[in-house]
């Protein structure tokens, strides 16, 4: 096919010979490099961090741990890799996962194609040459026919725009930009703002160090016990003996994770006693998918969901001694599972400590930071350190920060002003030859991310191979295919309880962000079948040209 996709000899940093530019050196970017190399294509990745790892490079806050079990949360593309790697615990913690990613980068010799400490600032497609020109903050200017955005879904940390932040004389941190040397909170007066997954993991650990910890909670979140434990060698051996089958089976599941028997009954079809026993068993087992798999209808039927929500609220009431604090911690404004379910280790128990105070930041919002701490509408607090566990400009933030444009057309940020639009979460109409790994409109954050990354990159690899076979140079979705997909993503979300929550799935955590449901919640299995069918049906909905 095109001159741009011929196999070429390896020439390190030979920008002129690139077939693809990859933005990001996390799990997505590294797999993109590996997959492209297997196809005989030359690619270079740019990574803003000083090393590979993406999310797991940046999020080093105390207690950072994956909420998908370690035997699942790993690459499947190389059986020797998954057989040889040993995960020490049921859930991988941040240092272990980062070690694993570094191992993969070394084992598959990926580092030579990653340029670190380099942030991509712009990407411009030339309709005459069918090439992207990418510029970086280090002055690089590189061109290639394809651009693969592996920019992550939770990679743009957001600190609320509090007045007076620059006046605070203590230290402040964001969970997603944690200092590499770590932070010792011993004996300090600490304020943590935010009680999402990051806050819930971190709060029990900081509480053990701090002189006093104030937690500022705006919205109570549901959290389930993780029940982390050392890896059981029997489970590890069995899992590894079944790895290939389990990976294949994961593609047939809604969340991209095998091993959980799908529910067969609806919650209201059983007695209250049976429901209670089922929820108790799931609570004891630990993990979120297993809990949401209690019944078929927990995410689509409010009455069914109420039973699970109330079960967890009652657990909170039984764990937290001060009932006023327990009521504040018990979520009542959204159905369980419609915001990302948190997994914790001793989160609710932490509020029984004498040195921990929960502040209702909904009733008494934070108004400003001061030299000595912060002020709410009701009171002033003195802190040595403030931690923002305030989340990310999720799913679109990283892409909108890059000046992406095609000729004289609108930038991607302008096109997405009213919310992101994609076809299958893989490509955007009007932006040819640019692929998004786990982009908005794909199941991405509603799945095991690594399986989603592999599925996307494998699809992209097959697409590039098909283009090569047909002698095609350009591909983009039709506007109609994109419109239909966005409608479908919304229709599916509207058939569930998800839109009832003010979550980052709808951009509710970022003031002014348009309220659009971004991930595809129709399930990973159906989504993959749809992607495969599109490819088999002559890349239906895409337009290829020379
Ligand atoms: P998050 O879920 O968006 O939580 C941010 C928290 O900060 C929320 O409680 C939010 O309250 C609060 N907040 C934001 N602005 C505030 C303000 N001005 N005043 C008071 N509170 C404010 O962010 P996250 O905890 O970093 O988690 C993001 C996602 O990353 C998770 O949902 C998950 O997908 C992923 N993650 C996964 C793991 C894991 O695998 N275990 C760990 C960490 C993160 P509101 O809810 O009211 O907006």
């Amino acid at each position: 096919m095109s001159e741009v996709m011929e196999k070429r000899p390896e020439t390190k940093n030979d920008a002129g010979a690139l077939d693809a530019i990859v933005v990001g050196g996390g799990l997505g970017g590294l797999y993109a490099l590996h997959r492209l190399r297997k196809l005989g294509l030359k690619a270079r990745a740019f990574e803003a961090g000083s090393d590979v790892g993406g999310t797991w490079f940046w999020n080093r806050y105390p207690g950072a741990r994956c909420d998908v079990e370690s035997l699942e949360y790993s690459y499947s593309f190389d059986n020797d890799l998954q057989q040889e790697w040993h995960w020490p615990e049921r859930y991988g913690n941040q240092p272990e996962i980062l070690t694993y990613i570094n191992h993969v980068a070394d084992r598959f010799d990926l580092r030579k194609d990653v340029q670190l400490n380099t942030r991509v600032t712009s990407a411009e497609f030339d309709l005459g040459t069918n090439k992207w020109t990418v510029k970086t903050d280090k002055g690089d200017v590189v061109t290639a026919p394809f651009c693969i955005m592996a920019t992550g879904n939770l990679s743009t940390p957001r600190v609320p725009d509090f007045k007076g932040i620059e006046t605070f004389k203590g230290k402040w941190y964001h969970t997603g930009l944690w200092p590499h040397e770590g932070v010792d909170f011993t004996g300090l007066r600490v304020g943590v703002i935010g009680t999402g997954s990051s806050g819930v993991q971190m709060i029990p650990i900081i509480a053990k160090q701090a002189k006093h910890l104030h937690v500022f909670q705006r919205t109570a979140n549901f959290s389930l016990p993780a029940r982390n434990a050392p890896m059981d060698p029997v489970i590890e051996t069995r899992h590894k003996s079944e790895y290939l089958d389990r990976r294949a089976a994961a593609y047939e599941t809604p969340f991209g994770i095998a091993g959980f028997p799908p529910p067969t009954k609806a919650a209201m079809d059983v007695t209250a006693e049976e429901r209670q026993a089922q929820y108790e068993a799931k609570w004891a087992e630990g993990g979120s998918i297993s809990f949401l798999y209690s019944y078929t209808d927990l995410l689509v039927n409010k009455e069914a969901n109420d039973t699970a929500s109330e079960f967890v609220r009652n657990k909170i009431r039984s764990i937290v001694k001060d009932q006023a604090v327990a009521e504040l911690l018990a979520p009542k404004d959204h159905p369980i599972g419609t915001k990302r379910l948190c997994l914790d280790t001793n989160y609710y128990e932490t509020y029984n400590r004498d040195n921990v105070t929960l502040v209702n930041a909904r009733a008494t919002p934070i108004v400003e930071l001061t030299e000595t701490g912060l002020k709410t509408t009701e009171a002033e607090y003195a802190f040595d350190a403030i931690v923002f566990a305030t989340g990310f400009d999720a799913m679109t933030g990283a892409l909108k920060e890059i000046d992406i444009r095609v000729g004289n057309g609108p930038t991607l940020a302008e096109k997405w002003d009213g919310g992101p639009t994609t076809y299958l979460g893989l490509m955007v109409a009007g932006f040819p030859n640019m692929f998004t790994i786990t982009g908005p409109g794909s199941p991405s954050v509603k799945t095991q991310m690594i399986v989603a990354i592999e599925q996307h990159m494998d699809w992209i690899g097959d697409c590039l191979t098909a283009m090569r076979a047909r002698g095609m140079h350009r591909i983009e979705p039709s506007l109609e295919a994109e419109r239909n997909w966005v409608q479908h993503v919304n229709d599916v979300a509207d058939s569930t309880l998800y839109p009832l929550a003010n979550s980052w799935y709808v951009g509710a955590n970022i003031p002014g962000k348009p309220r659009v449901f971004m991930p595809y919640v129709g399930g990973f299995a159906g989504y993959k079948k749809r992607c495969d069918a599109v490819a088999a049906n002559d890349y239906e909905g895409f337009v290829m040209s020379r």
Side-chain angles (χ1 to χ4, degrees), residues 172-183:
W172 66 261
Y173 310 92
H174 187 284
T175 53
L177 295 167
W178 205 257
H180 286 202
E181 62 280 13
V183 183

Side-chain angles (χ1 to χ4, degrees), residues 61 65-67 154 160 162 175 193-199 201 216 218-219 221 339-340 361-362 366 389-392 504 509:
Y61 60 84
R65 190 180 285 282
C66 188
D67 55 10
L154 294 154
F162 289 128
T175 53
I193 303 170
T195 52
S197 299
S198 304
Q201 289 187 325
F216 293 83
R218 191 165 64 181
T219 309
N221 260 320
K339 287 181 88 151
R340 172 74 171 218
R362 169 82 57 204
I366 299 166
T390 45
F392 302 83
W504 57 256
N509 62 322

